[in-house]
Amino acid sequence: CVYELCVCVCVRGWVCVYELRVCACVLCVMSCLMILCSYLEDRDYKMYQRLCKGVTEKFKAIGNDILSLEDRLNKMGKKDWAAFIRKIQDLEKQKLELTVKSQVLKTKYCIDLGTKDDPEYLEQLRDYRKQMGDIIEGINEALEEIKYILYE
């Protein structure tokens, strides 16, 4: 059926966009580390903000593509597929929020206070790492389920 083919193409398109997002994420992490190192060397806050803004805009564009595919699936009546995408988007949002919390914590203790051996800091960092592992596991499980259904 042409309709089911359109749904399959739409979901496979989402998988491709999502995989692009993962690659962009890896590049972003590497860029952020380089940006942070550069900032720590020369303390050029304006440059730091500009570079961070560029990375954020790339993520926003990819996120908009994913939302568009989710919306298209909803309009096609494929709410189950759209729900998978929403679930992964929600987990990605949690992951991003936790990443920001972790970076703020690291900045506070390692850069501002210079006390990276503080037990409170180390405990919080361990907690964030565990939470991150749980989130990533949830994302991977949802992706595997989507791929399994797609390729049945």
Side-chain angles (χ1 to χ4, degrees):
C1 169
V2 173
Y3 179 74
E4 289 301 319
L5 180 61
C6 288
V7 170
C8 192
V9 167
C10 192
V11 173
R12 286 187 179 170
W14 174 82
V15 170
C16 290
V17 170
Y18 187 81
E19 288 173 350
L20 174 65
R21 183 180 185 172
V22 170
C23 291
C25 184
V26 169
L27 290 174
C28 172
V29 169
M30 291 170 45
S31 295
C32 288
L33 288 173
M34 291 183 343
I35 292 167
L36 181 61
C37 288
S38 176
Y39 170 69
L40 291 175
E41 276 181 22
D42 59 21
R43 300 286 186 192
D44 185 350
Y45 191 67
K46 295 238 185 248
M47 175 65 83
Y48 177 74
Q49 283 183 312
R50 191 169 54 250
L51 293 171
C52 287
K53 183 179 179 187
V55 170
T56 301
E57 287 172 358
K58 288 176 187 172
F59 271 106
K60 186 176 180 182
I62 294 169
N64 287 339
D65 290 343
I66 290 172
L67 291 174
S68 173
L69 289 169
E70 178 188 1
D71 185 52
R72 198 177 308 153
L73 286 168
N74 271 319
K75 287 178 181 173
M76 296 170 85
K78 293 300 183 177
K79 302 210 181 292
D80 52 340
W81 284 109
F84 271 121
I85 292 173
R86 174 61 20 225
K87 178 181 179 179
I88 292 173
Q89 286 299 100
D90 289 344
L91 287 167
E92 285 289 346
K93 181 180 178 186
Q94 290 175 23
K95 183 178 163 190
L96 179 60
E97 288 169 353
L98 190 59
T99 299
V100 169
K101 283 182 181 179
S102 180
Q103 288 303 315
V104 168
L105 181 73
K106 288 176 184 177
T107 301
K108 176 184 171 189
Y109 278 92
C110 298
I111 297 169
D112 296 343
L113 301 176
T115 56
K116 62 183 177 183
D117 296 328
D118 183 286
E120 183 180 324
Y121 162 74
L122 295 173
E123 181 61 33
Q124 188 65 57
L125 205 54
R126 275 191 289 277
D127 183 51
Y128 285 167
R129 286 183 183 140
K130 180 179 181 333
Q131 289 178 47
M132 185 66 76
D134 293 344
I135 292 168
I136 291 170
E137 186 177 322
I139 292 169
N140 288 339
E141 286 172 1
L143 285 172
E144 285 303 311
E145 193 169 348
I146 289 171
K147 288 178 182 179
Y148 178 78
I149 293 168
L150 267 178
Y151 297 106
E152 269 188 336

